[in-house]
Amino acid sequence: MDISNRSRSMQSSPIRKLAPYADAAKRQGIHVYHLNIGQPDIKTPVCGLDAMKAVDRTILEYSPSQGMLSLRAKMVSYYAEYGIDLSPDEIIITSGGSEAVQFAYMACLDPGDEIIVTDPSYANYMAFAQSCGAVMKPIHTSIEDGFKLPPVERFEEQITPKTKAILICNPNNPTGYLYTKKEMRRIRDIVKKHDLFLFSDEVYREFIYSNEPYISACHLEGIEQNVVLIDSVSKRYSECGIRIGALITKNKDIREAVMKFCQARLSPPLIGQVIAEASLSTPQEYMSQVYDEYLARRNFLIEGLNKIPGVYSPKPMGAFYTMVRLPVEDAEDFCKWCLTDFSYKGQTIMMAPGSGFYTDPSEGRNEVRMAYVLNIEDLGKALEVLTHALDAYNSR
């Protein structure tokens, strides 16, 4: 009996595909520094953990398909702090930001419809597009100029009668790029001119390391009905495991369509919503400390990477990722080799091969994505391991 063609064409995650090799290395007693995945080592806010411990229910019931009203009402106040005016009805709680992306696609796109996305982009955007039959149309960005947005003409060249949406991530995963006000307005103009959906993943809005203002897709005038905002508490509060995200739109038709899929999956996680609601009361002191920590890690990692011969990484302006060019021909082979054939002082490093973040896997062959989610001491050790790994790999 054959499996589906859909599953055959689905690419493995570049973030997790090498996990079996990392597990095997650990079983041999090798310490693996995980720079492959955006799993922060930052402690979850105490208010969130206290809410989890204080759960006192005799029944762990279904929650409403759109999410608990108390959580959505509290989120309205959170977004208001960023100049985003919403009502609870315009917020739908999802099982992580990933489900929000998937539901946005399913509600807005038919098989064969096209989504314009900048390359490189978060790998799961492509996976969800494949699963619903949509086609990704890439706009190439370059590590040489820090992955800045190409001219508008590049977007116009990609638009066909099948084009239905533009997808952005701001600040960007995997590049750390932050879109400027001018660039966001250019995107707005294209969306308005061609009447497209704008899917905007803004999960990393708390982590912006420049003087540029945070410009949400929800700030863009004239396309309010076109915007679908994707969000999550996973990285903001170091709560990846509770699987709470949100799909936000002022477009009633989109919300009604999304709700059909929400009802089919019944409800988002109950306990996760309890924790997320409490976490919205996280003190600013916590957020400031986390911000300062990531900023210090970014500066340390980028400076260290660019000191290694043949290695280059632009300085990311947001999130906690960076794309890194390595002096190797096949970064995926190198990443695997680091886990299967190499260790330095009983240590090795795990990275995400860069080609998995490109629509065309022939791109990014000498790049990796790194997440600076480890403390500076461990980042320093990881840089030392990387230096010796490159020397050994290129001397074979």
Side-chain angles (χ1 to χ4, degrees), residues 300-372:
F300 180 85
L301 179 65
I302 301 304
E303 181 180 355
L305 285 170
N306 288 317
K307 287 181 178 179
I308 301 173
V311 174
Y312 173 68
S313 175
K315 181 176 284 189
M317 291 294 108
F320 41 66
Y321 307 98
T322 190
M323 291 293 285
V324 186
R325 185 175 62 204
L326 301 178
V328 298
E329 291 186 4
D330 188 336
E332 182 168 341
D333 182 71
F334 173 66
C335 289
K336 180 181 176 182
W337 177 86
C338 284
L339 297 170
T340 59
D341 293 78
F342 174 80
S343 67
Y344 174 73
K345 295 182 179 180
Q347 308 164 102
T348 194
I349 185 171
M350 186 175 182
M351 301 163 289
S355 59
F357 297 93
Y358 287 85
T359 307
D360 180 352
S362 68
E363 300 282 351
R365 298 284 294 174
N366 64 345
E367 296 174 7
V368 296
R369 187 195 75 167
M370 292 188 184
Y372 40 98

Side-chain angles (χ1 to χ4, degrees), residues 279-298:
S279 298
L280 286 165
S281 297
T282 297
Q284 183 56 44
E285 180 183 7
Y286 170 95
M287 302 304 299
S288 297
Q289 289 175 350
V290 172
Y291 175 90
D292 290 343
E293 176 65 18
Y294 280 129
L295 179 60
R297 293 178 182 189
R298 181 204 68 164

Side-chain angles (χ1 to χ4, degrees), residues 109-116 135 137 158-165 196:
L109 306 173
D110 288 318
D113 284 344
E114 297 171 351
I115 312 168
I116 295 176
V135 178
K137 297 294 289 294
Q158 291 284 26
I159 293 175
T160 75
K162 280 286 190 179
T163 305
K164 291 290 290 294
L196 305 175

